Amino acid sequence: MTETVAAAGVLSGIKVVDFGHYVAGPLTALMLADQGADVVHVDRPGAVLAESDAFLNRGKRRITLDLKDPADAAVAVRLAAGADVVIENFRPGVMDRLGLGWERLAPLAPRMVYCSLPGFGRDDPRAAVPGWEGVIDAATANCSIRVGQEPPGWDASRPTYSAVPLASNFAAFLAATAVVAALTFRHRAGRGQLIEVPLFHAMFELIGKAGAFVQSDGLAPPKPHGGNGSGTYECADGRYVRMDPIGGSARFLRWLLDAAGEEAWAADGLTDGVRLARHKDLEEQLKDRLRVMFRTRTAPQWDELAAEAGVPLGFIRTCREWLHTPHAQLAGHVVSVTDPVYGQTWMAGLPVRALAAPGGVPRPRRLPDADHDAIVAEADQPAAGSGTATDPATAAAPAAAGAEPAGDVTQAFAGLRVLDLTEILAGPSSGRILGEYGADVIKINGPNSSVTAHGIVNRGKRSILLNVEAERGQAVFWELAARSDVIIQNYPEGTADRYGIGYKHVKARFPDAVFVSVTCFGEGGQWGARRGYETQGQAITGMMERAGGDHHVPEILGPYNVVDFGSGVMTAFAAALGIFHRARTGAGGKVTASLAQTATYHQATFMLDYAGRPPRCEPRGPEALGAGPFQRYYQARDGWIFLGMRPSQWAALRSVSWMKAADGVDPGDAGAVEAALSGAIGQRPAAEAVHALREAGVGAHEVLSTGQVMTREPAMKLGLSLIQQSAEFGPVVMPGLTVRLSESPLVLGRAAGRAGSDARAVLAEVGLADRVSELSRSWVLRTEDLPRAW
């Protein structure tokens, strides 16, 4: 009998058919498999297995089907009709032509959740353009170096290529979240639906605050990351650390200097955050002295000293070093599986953890067609999944946990209340996402908070400024918690417990609450109590080392906050799992996410280690322009473009009138191909080159700036760049909704107002309207001089 590979978990009993290829589709299915879903991956005949197959298809059963063959296609239809979830990431129309599209399958399985992840959406004028990773990056300005990180003499107009598949990753993160939300909606309303998450759309979740601005001001130029001496520093052993003592008070900087025995720096004004922000020469003086100081200890020594002092600092490791770090292994960020080809293999662990149904250790992949006979036999039996009236989720739920399906439900999380106690970007983004799925989100920050310029992450929320550490503040918190379903917090591990509002305290009062925790380093290992931000998540996992390459100082990857906003989606995914588990069982529980795990997942297709693994040669460093001549940025006469194609399409370029240089060039000669393309494209305007290349059937896109992305079609027509009215500043531009659901569409929340502006209304709802003035006078609640949102 064939061994099942789906571990017990939140999604136990859910059947998934994965028609995906490359990264986006298989990664979405993997995230579901890791939470207990029974996933069947459909391979193409003769598929060549990349090394990443060991990760992307672990925990799945496998069958090989030729979808163009009528007999195999019929098996695929039966297989899909018996599933709860179907996933595919072909260009729009491909699955329809194969007879496996939503319109064909929906009548056969009306409770099915069908998830599509094309490069460009079906109503995008670029729908037929192959959505290669670099094509999407060029279309969304995800191809520049972070401001302040450029090598000396860098040409700011020159793009840079990263092998990290961010477009596919973000699409998968968003799609997995949408699938779980759609399963929750199905549990409540009894209906399946179509989900569409184009890779182009998904990138607007990553753009985030970089694309948000007051319309009258225009989009401000990007600023270097940090302040208070933030930066990457070389240590005595030639290794590097990344330190970010951000915040107006510069307290983290003072803590580090105290621990290092450099208290005297304060006398020179080097620990005054206000002065450092106002006087750039003082900031540079601080950095000069920090460069000298960091060379007095090794990177591991600074790592330990900063951790003991509570300072956000990370030792910059390689991916391989991260895989073998005890904390990464203890916290489950990485796991070891016995792969059928590579043997014992270290790879990324589960993306998030649901403690009530943890899902166990991921099982190794099966090889293609290993489960063919068993899967065909199952497909030939009457459907037990989405095509019948019996939903596994409903069948598993006790009567007290679920009611009869309600036809009037319009959003997956409608009627749920979320308390969002998080700060910065990752946690608040998760709260915004839950609000877009219909939840009522109340944002809680401390009275001293300077929640400013983060309007995009707090869109759609009501806001209060409450001191939850104070006894009277906690009394208010518990009144709000009593009327809430989900609580999100991003304190370092153990901090919420010390305040008396941790999971054990919430569970004791409200056992059906979903408690969501997002930290930098992750819980359960050695570093959970450490502080950290985007940059520490990148530093410790190898991302900064990859961005710097072999000849430069390790630096932050990309122009956008890839770890913060990725963790925002991952935290929403964790919360969605908790909500679905509660819908099925009536029980709450704790779910966790972390910046370190998100950074690990971003690099997971490269982050494998096994005996005899050959050295990797993926593109690295700022000078990288592509993965080879067929996947590369090329300079046109008036800008840059990205070309994405297969070597087998080389002959098609001969149809382009100005590509005569291709004649006689062997497509196997990378240097000759690159020279021919560079010469031909360099003589044409970018728009003309892109048009001609697309006409030849290959992928191409002009390199745009973030300002162009946010203010041009089609982003504005597709609602990916939108304008809302701010009560303070009038029209504000920001990224829109990135996921489409046919039956429970996302809702666009109101533009964020001043932090704390909803205090009176929120407290009135819990019967505390008469205490607002008292709480405000004692600085437990802030109701005046409120921080601006933009």
Side-chain angles (χ1 to χ4, degrees):
M1 182 175 179
T2 301
E3 178 188 14
T4 181
V5 296
V10 171
L11 299 181
S12 179
I14 298 298
K15 294 185 176 182
V16 180
V17 176
D18 170 20
F19 290 105
H21 56 284
Y22 187 50
V23 175
L27 183 57
T28 304
L30 171 64
M31 292 175 66
L32 305 179
D34 278 349
Q35 302 301 326
D38 175 13
V39 178
V40 171
H41 178 72
V42 179
D43 289 288
R44 304 174 184 180
V48 177
L49 300 186
E51 181 189 61
S52 59
D53 185 82
F55 166 72
L56 289 170
N57 286 313
R58 75 180 181 204
K60 304 176 185 178
R61 296 187 291 157
R62 299 177 80 159
I63 184 172
T64 298
L65 296 173
D66 181 354
L67 300 182
K68 295 181 180 179
D69 176 83
D72 278 5
V75 173
V77 169
R78 295 196 301 274
L79 185 63
D84 300 287
V85 180
V86 170
I87 297 169
E88 59 90 7
N89 61 314
F90 292 95
R91 273 178 279 172
V94 171
M95 290 293 274
D96 294 324
R97 293 193 293 273
L98 293 171
L100 288 163
W102 164 251
E103 291 185 359
R104 165 76 191 284
L105 295 179
L108 302 176
R111 298 170 63 84
M112 171 190 295
V113 174
Y114 190 106
C115 183
S116 177
L117 300 93
F120 296 97
R122 62 183 62 242
D123 57 348
D124 191 311
R126 300 159 296 182
V129 175
W132 295 102
E133 205 74 34
V135 169
I136 305 297
D137 284 343
T140 55
N142 186 44
C143 50
S144 62
I145 296 175
R146 182 73 63 104
V147 170
Q149 314 281 308
E150 308 92 339
W154 183 257
D155 177 3
S157 69
R158 187 184 191 275
T160 184
Y161 177 85
S162 172
V164 179
L166 291 174
S168 291
N169 290 346
F170 268 85
F173 297 175
L174 288 163
T177 305
V179 166
V180 178
L183 290 171
T184 303
F185 176 79
R186 186 181 76 169
H187 183 79
R188 301 179 67 185
R191 306 193 300 278
Q193 61 183 307
L194 171 65
I195 300 169
E196 188 184 38
V197 190
L199 273 62
F200 178 71
H201 285 54
M203 289 298 286
F204 285 79
E205 186 66 42
L206 169 57
I207 291 172
K209 71 183 183 72
F213 57 95
V214 177
Q215 189 177 46
S216 61
D217 295 342
L219 183 63
K223 297 179 181 179
H225 183 88
N228 298 334
S230 292
T232 302
Y233 294 96
E234 186 176 5
C235 303
D237 54 356
R239 300 297 298 274
Y240 292 84
V241 295
R242 176 71 199 193
M243 179 186 71
D244 290 274
I246 61 175
S249 68
R251 58 175 180 148
F252 296 140
L253 175 62
R254 289 195 295 272
W255 294 354
L256 180 70
L257 295 176
D258 287 349
E262 299 290 355
E263 301 89 344
W265 290 23
D268 298 324
L270 297 179
T271 61
D272 186 331
V274 175
R275 289 184 62 192
L276 289 168
R278 292 176 178 173
H279 303 286
K280 298 305 178 186
D281 58 333
L282 193 63
E283 175 79 11
E284 286 306 313
Q285 181 184 343
L286 170 63
K287 286 190 172 183
D288 287 341
R289 292 175 67 169
L290 285 170
R291 291 185 189 102
V292 175
M293 185 188 80
F294 274 107
R295 291 193 184 102
T296 63
R297 290 178 171 86
T298 65
Q301 288 171 339
W302 281 114
D303 195 40
E304 289 301 320
L305 184 145
E308 292 176 6
V311 178
L313 179 146
F315 170 25
I316 297 175
R317 292 170 168 82
T318 66
C319 283
R320 188 174 189 278
E321 287 174 331
W322 172 243
L323 282 169
H324 297 284
T325 299
H327 169 76
Q329 296 178 3
L330 289 170
H333 296 318
V334 301
V335 295
S336 176
V337 302
T338 304
D339 184 79
V341 175
Y342 303 129
Q344 185 185 38
T345 303
W346 284 98
M347 62 180 67
L350 273 62
V352 300
R353 291 192 170 273
L355 301 189
V361 177
R363 298 190 185 183
R365 63 172 165 170
R366 305 276 287 175
L367 294 178
D369 223 28
D371 306 287
H372 184 280
D373 292 346
I375 292 171
V376 170
E378 290 174 15
D380 289 339
Q381 296 178 3
S386 63
T388 71
T390 302
D391 179 354
T394 305
E404 290 295 319
D408 58 347
V409 177
T410 56
Q411 276 84 42
F413 300 154
L416 300 181
R417 173 169 287 180
V418 176
L419 292 188
D420 177 359
L421 281 72
T422 64
E423 293 185 326
I424 316 296
L425 297 176
S429 292
S430 71
R432 171 185 53 77
I433 292 170
L434 297 183
E436 291 169 354
Y437 281 98
D440 172 23
V441 184
I442 297 175
K443 185 76 173 66
I444 301 178
N445 290 101
N448 291 319
S449 176
S450 57
V451 185
T452 180
H454 289 165
I456 177 65
V457 299
N458 291 317
R459 180 175 65 197
K461 304 175 186 177
R462 296 187 290 162
S463 172
I464 67 172
L465 298 177
L466 177 72
N467 184 359
V468 296
E469 299 177 43
E471 184 176 348
R472 282 183 289 183
Q474 287 195 7
V476 176
F477 167 81
W478 287 118
E479 289 292 340
L480 294 170
R483 296 161 176 82
S484 299
D485 305 279
V486 179
I487 297 172
I488 313 173
Q489 61 87 25
N490 66 343
Y491 298 111
E493 185 176 10
T495 302
D497 288 333
R498 289 197 301 274
Y499 291 164
I501 56 172
Y503 173 57
K504 63 183 180 182
H505 305 100
V506 171
K507 181 182 179 182
R509 297 179 184 230
F510 313 116
D512 63 340
V514 176
F515 189 91
V516 186
S517 177
V518 52
T519 60
C520 178
F521 294 94
E523 298 187 13
Q526 301 166 328
W527 303 345
R530 294 187 180 187
R531 292 182 174 88
Y533 303 109
E534 163 91 20
T535 44
Q536 281 67 52
Q538 288 202 24
I540 64 171
T541 59
M543 189 173 281
M544 285 185 65
E545 188 270 341
R546 169 175 277 112
D550 299 325
H551 307 294
H552 296 280
V553 174
E555 288 299 355
I556 304 167
L557 176 71
Y560 306 130
N561 286 48
V562 301
V563 175
D564 273 333
F565 286 111
S567 297
V569 185
M570 283 294 202
T571 305
F573 175 58
L577 289 168
I579 292 168
F580 182 62
H581 178 71
R582 190 173 94 151
R584 297 177 84 178
T585 68
K590 182 178 180 180
V591 292
T592 65
S594 72
L595 275 62
Q597 187 60 352
T598 300
T600 302
Y601 240 65
H602 274 319
Q603 304 171 92
T605 53
F606 303 105
M607 195 178 286
L608 296 100
D609 194 39
Y610 49 85
R613 185 179 191 241
R616 294 292 300 179
C617 57
E618 72 263 13
R620 298 161 51 82
E623 286 89 0
L625 286 173
F630 298 106
Q631 296 286 332
R632 187 185 188 275
Y633 291 102
Y634 287 94
Q635 188 167 20
R637 198 165 70 194
D638 57 350
W640 288 80
I641 73 168
F642 187 89
L643 169 69
M645 59 182 287
R646 294 184 175 89
S648 60
Q649 295 176 294
W650 180 241
L653 293 189
R654 294 175 183 170
S655 65
V656 179
S657 61
W658 43 267
M659 274 298 300
K660 298 305 180 185
D663 291 343
V665 174
D666 179 2
D669 186 340
V673 171
E674 183 177 312
L677 290 170
S678 294
I681 294 172
Q683 298 177 32
R684 320 305 302 181
E688 179 184 322
V690 166
H691 177 75
L693 291 167
R694 289 180 181 174
E695 287 293 307
V698 301
H701 207 289
E702 295 173 72
V703 172
L704 303 179
S705 67
T706 303
Q708 290 171 327
V709 172
M710 293 302 298
T711 56
R712 287 187 180 184
E713 295 185 12
M716 298 187 74
K717 270 194 171 182
L718 294 170
L720 296 169
S721 174
L722 53 82
I723 298 174
Q724 287 190 296
Q725 291 294 321
S726 164
E728 294 179 88
F729 301 103
V732 289
V733 180
M734 69 189 80
L737 302 174
T738 56
V739 176
R740 295 171 167 180
L741 299 100
S742 62
E743 294 293 314
S744 59
L746 300 186
V747 292
L748 183 67
R750 64 174 185 173
R754 284 185 175 268
S757 57
D758 301 293
R760 297 182 187 278
V762 170
L763 265 64
E765 290 179 6
V766 295
L768 297 175
D770 58 344
R771 296 195 57 198
V772 170
S773 296
E774 169 205 341
L775 294 170
S776 181
R777 285 194 303 271
S778 59
W779 201 240
V780 170
L781 184 72
R782 182 175 173 183
T783 56
E784 298 178 355
D785 189 26
L786 301 176
R788 54 183 284 184
W790 295 90

Short mmCIF file of all heavy atoms in Angstrom, two decimals, residues 360-392:
data_model
loop_
_atom_site.label_atom_id
_atom_site.label_comp_id
_atom_site.label_asym_id
_atom_site.label_seq_id
_atom_site.Cartn_x
_atom_site.Cartn_y
_atom_site.Cartn_z
N GLY A 360 3.63 18.11 12.25
CA GLY A 360 4.76 17.21 12.27
C GLY A 360 5.92 17.67 11.41
O GLY A 360 5.95 18.78 10.90
N VAL A 361 6.91 16.78 11.25
CA VAL A 361 8.09 17.07 10.44
C VAL A 361 7.75 16.80 8.98
O VAL A 361 7.16 15.77 8.65
CB VAL A 361 9.27 16.18 10.89
CG1 VAL A 361 10.48 16.43 9.98
CG2 VAL A 361 9.62 16.47 12.34
N PRO A 362 8.09 17.71 8.07
CA PRO A 362 7.81 17.47 6.65
C PRO A 362 8.43 16.16 6.16
O PRO A 362 9.54 15.80 6.54
CB PRO A 362 8.46 18.67 5.96
CG PRO A 362 8.52 19.73 7.00
CD PRO A 362 8.73 19.01 8.29
N ARG A 363 7.70 15.47 5.32
CA ARG A 363 8.20 14.21 4.77
C ARG A 363 8.91 14.47 3.45
O ARG A 363 8.63 15.44 2.76
CB ARG A 363 7.06 13.24 4.57
CG ARG A 363 6.37 12.86 5.87
CD ARG A 363 5.42 11.71 5.65
NE ARG A 363 4.66 11.42 6.87
CZ ARG A 363 3.79 10.42 6.97
NH1 ARG A 363 3.58 9.63 5.94
NH2 ARG A 363 3.14 10.21 8.10
N PRO A 364 9.86 13.60 3.09
CA PRO A 364 10.60 13.83 1.85
C PRO A 364 9.70 13.70 0.63
O PRO A 364 8.61 13.14 0.68
CB PRO A 364 11.66 12.73 1.87
CG PRO A 364 11.11 11.67 2.77
CD PRO A 364 10.30 12.40 3.81
N ARG A 365 10.17 14.24 -0.47
CA ARG A 365 9.43 14.15 -1.72
C ARG A 365 9.33 12.71 -2.20
O ARG A 365 10.15 11.85 -1.85
CB ARG A 365 10.12 14.98 -2.80
CG ARG A 365 11.52 14.46 -3.14
CD ARG A 365 12.12 15.14 -4.34
NE ARG A 365 13.57 14.90 -4.41
CZ ARG A 365 14.33 15.21 -5.43
NH1 ARG A 365 13.80 15.78 -6.49
NH2 ARG A 365 15.64 14.97 -5.40
N ARG A 366 8.33 12.45 -2.99
CA ARG A 366 8.25 11.24 -3.79
C ARG A 366 8.76 11.59 -5.18
O ARG A 366 8.74 12.75 -5.59
CB ARG A 366 6.81 10.77 -3.88
CG ARG A 366 6.14 10.57 -2.52
CD ARG A 366 6.43 9.24 -1.93
NE ARG A 366 5.71 8.18 -2.63
CZ ARG A 366 5.87 6.88 -2.37
NH1 ARG A 366 6.74 6.49 -1.45
NH2 ARG A 366 5.19 5.97 -3.04
N LEU A 367 9.25 10.65 -5.92
CA LEU A 367 9.71 10.91 -7.27
C LEU A 367 8.52 10.87 -8.24
O LEU A 367 7.46 10.31 -7.93
CB LEU A 367 10.78 9.89 -7.65
CG LEU A 367 12.08 10.01 -6.83
CD1 LEU A 367 13.08 8.93 -7.25
CD2 LEU A 367 12.69 11.40 -6.96
N PRO A 368 8.67 11.47 -9.41
CA PRO A 368 7.55 11.53 -10.35
C PRO A 368 6.93 10.17 -10.65
O PRO A 368 7.64 9.18 -10.85
CB PRO A 368 8.20 12.14 -11.61
CG PRO A 368 9.30 13.00 -11.08
CD PRO A 368 9.85 12.23 -9.89
N ASP A 369 5.62 10.16 -10.64
CA ASP A 369 4.78 9.00 -10.95
C ASP A 369 4.88 7.87 -9.93
O ASP A 369 4.38 6.77 -10.17
CB ASP A 369 5.12 8.45 -12.35
CG ASP A 369 3.87 8.08 -13.14
OD1 ASP A 369 2.81 8.69 -12.89
OD2 ASP A 369 3.95 7.18 -14.00
N ALA A 370 5.48 8.14 -8.78
CA ALA A 370 5.64 7.10 -7.77
C ALA A 370 4.30 6.61 -7.24
O ALA A 370 4.19 5.48 -6.75
CB ALA A 370 6.50 7.61 -6.62
N ASP A 371 3.26 7.43 -7.33
CA ASP A 371 1.95 7.07 -6.75
C ASP A 371 0.88 6.94 -7.82
O ASP A 371 -0.31 7.06 -7.52
CB ASP A 371 1.56 8.13 -5.72
CG ASP A 371 2.63 8.34 -4.68
OD1 ASP A 371 2.80 7.47 -3.82
OD2 ASP A 371 3.33 9.38 -4.73
N HIS A 372 1.29 6.70 -9.06
CA HIS A 372 0.37 6.74 -10.19
C HIS A 372 -0.85 5.84 -10.00
O HIS A 372 -2.01 6.28 -10.11
CB HIS A 372 1.13 6.34 -11.47
CG HIS A 372 0.31 6.44 -12.71
ND1 HIS A 372 -0.60 5.47 -13.09
CD2 HIS A 372 0.25 7.40 -13.67
CE1 HIS A 372 -1.18 5.81 -14.21
NE2 HIS A 372 -0.67 6.98 -14.60
N ASP A 373 -0.64 4.57 -9.72
CA ASP A 373 -1.75 3.62 -9.67
C ASP A 373 -2.73 3.96 -8.55
O ASP A 373 -3.96 3.92 -8.75
CB ASP A 373 -1.22 2.20 -9.48
CG ASP A 373 -0.46 1.70 -10.71
OD1 ASP A 373 -0.57 2.34 -11.78
OD2 ASP A 373 0.26 0.68 -10.59
N ALA A 374 -2.21 4.31 -7.38
CA ALA A 374 -3.09 4.63 -6.26
C ALA A 374 -3.91 5.87 -6.55
O ALA A 374 -5.11 5.94 -6.23
CB ALA A 374 -2.27 4.80 -4.99
N ILE A 375 -3.27 6.87 -7.16
CA ILE A 375 -3.98 8.12 -7.45
C ILE A 375 -5.06 7.92 -8.51
O ILE A 375 -6.17 8.43 -8.40
CB ILE A 375 -2.98 9.22 -7.87
CG1 ILE A 375 -2.09 9.59 -6.68
CG2 ILE A 375 -3.70 10.45 -8.40
CD1 ILE A 375 -0.93 10.49 -7.05
N VAL A 376 -4.74 7.13 -9.55
CA VAL A 376 -5.74 6.84 -10.58
C VAL A 376 -6.92 6.09 -9.97
O VAL A 376 -8.09 6.37 -10.29
CB VAL A 376 -5.11 6.03 -11.73
CG1 VAL A 376 -6.19 5.51 -12.68
CG2 VAL A 376 -4.12 6.89 -12.51
N ALA A 377 -6.62 5.15 -9.08
CA ALA A 377 -7.70 4.39 -8.44
C ALA A 377 -8.60 5.31 -7.62
O ALA A 377 -9.83 5.17 -7.63
CB ALA A 377 -7.10 3.29 -7.56
N GLU A 378 -8.01 6.25 -6.92
CA GLU A 378 -8.81 7.21 -6.15
C GLU A 378 -9.65 8.09 -7.06
O GLU A 378 -10.81 8.39 -6.76
CB GLU A 378 -7.88 8.09 -5.30
CG GLU A 378 -7.21 7.35 -4.17
CD GLU A 378 -6.20 8.22 -3.45
OE1 GLU A 378 -6.23 9.46 -3.64
OE2 GLU A 378 -5.37 7.67 -2.71
N ALA A 379 -9.06 8.50 -8.19
CA ALA A 379 -9.79 9.37 -9.12
C ALA A 379 -10.99 8.65 -9.72
O ALA A 379 -11.98 9.29 -10.09
CB ALA A 379 -8.85 9.85 -10.22
N ASP A 380 -10.91 7.33 -9.82
CA ASP A 380 -12.00 6.56 -10.42
C ASP A 380 -13.16 6.32 -9.45
O ASP A 380 -14.21 5.85 -9.85
CB ASP A 380 -11.48 5.22 -10.92
CG ASP A 380 -10.60 5.37 -12.15
OD1 ASP A 380 -10.72 6.41 -12.83
OD2 ASP A 380 -9.78 4.47 -12.42
N GLN A 381 -12.93 6.63 -8.17
CA GLN A 381 -13.99 6.46 -7.18
C GLN A 381 -14.83 7.72 -7.08
O GLN A 381 -14.38 8.80 -7.44
CB GLN A 381 -13.37 6.12 -5.82
CG GLN A 381 -12.63 4.79 -5.81
CD GLN A 381 -12.00 4.51 -4.46
OE1 GLN A 381 -12.17 5.28 -3.53
NE2 GLN A 381 -11.27 3.41 -4.36
N PRO A 382 -16.08 7.60 -6.56
CA PRO A 382 -16.91 8.80 -6.40
C PRO A 382 -16.20 9.85 -5.57
O PRO A 382 -15.53 9.53 -4.58
CB PRO A 382 -18.16 8.25 -5.68
CG PRO A 382 -18.20 6.81 -6.03
CD PRO A 382 -16.76 6.37 -6.14
N ALA A 383 -16.34 11.11 -5.96
CA ALA A 383 -15.65 12.21 -5.28
C ALA A 383 -16.09 12.31 -3.84
O ALA A 383 -17.26 12.23 -3.52
CB ALA A 383 -15.93 13.53 -5.99
N ALA A 384 -15.10 12.48 -2.97
CA ALA A 384 -15.39 12.63 -1.54
C ALA A 384 -14.98 14.00 -1.05
O ALA A 384 -15.00 14.27 0.12
CB ALA A 384 -14.67 11.56 -0.75
N GLY A 385 -14.61 14.85 -1.98
CA GLY A 385 -14.14 16.19 -1.57
C GLY A 385 -15.09 17.26 -1.98
O GLY A 385 -16.26 17.26 -1.62
N SER A 386 -14.64 18.16 -2.83
CA SER A 386 -15.41 19.35 -3.12
C SER A 386 -16.65 19.09 -3.96
O SER A 386 -17.56 19.90 -3.98
CB SER A 386 -14.52 20.37 -3.84
OG SER A 386 -14.11 19.84 -5.08
N GLY A 387 -16.67 17.98 -4.69
CA GLY A 387 -17.80 17.76 -5.58
C GLY A 387 -19.03 17.20 -4.90
O GLY A 387 -20.04 17.00 -5.54
N THR A 388 -18.99 16.92 -3.61
CA THR A 388 -20.12 16.35 -2.91
C THR A 388 -20.61 17.32 -1.86
O THR A 388 -20.00 18.33 -1.58
CB THR A 388 -19.74 15.03 -2.23
OG1 THR A 388 -18.88 15.31 -1.13
CG2 THR A 388 -19.03 14.09 -3.20
N ALA A 389 -21.70 16.96 -1.24
CA ALA A 389 -22.26 17.82 -0.20
C ALA A 389 -21.53 17.67 1.11
O ALA A 389 -21.76 18.43 2.03
CB ALA A 389 -23.74 17.48 -0.01
N THR A 390 -20.66 16.68 1.21
CA THR A 390 -19.94 16.45 2.46
C THR A 390 -18.57 17.09 2.40
O THR A 390 -17.69 16.63 1.68
CB THR A 390 -19.79 14.94 2.75
OG1 THR A 390 -21.07 14.35 2.79
CG2 THR A 390 -19.09 14.73 4.08
N ASP A 391 -18.40 18.15 3.13
CA ASP A 391 -17.12 18.85 3.21
C ASP A 391 -16.32 18.23 4.34
O ASP A 391 -16.82 18.08 5.46
CB ASP A 391 -17.41 20.33 3.49
CG ASP A 391 -16.16 21.16 3.61
OD1 ASP A 391 -15.06 20.59 3.58
OD2 ASP A 391 -16.31 22.39 3.74
N PRO A 392 -15.08 17.79 4.10
CA PRO A 392 -14.28 17.24 5.19
C PRO A 392 -14.19 18.16 6.38
O PRO A 392 -14.15 17.70 7.51
CB PRO A 392 -12.90 17.05 4.53
CG PRO A 392 -13.16 16.94 3.07
CD PRO A 392 -14.36 17.80 2.82
#
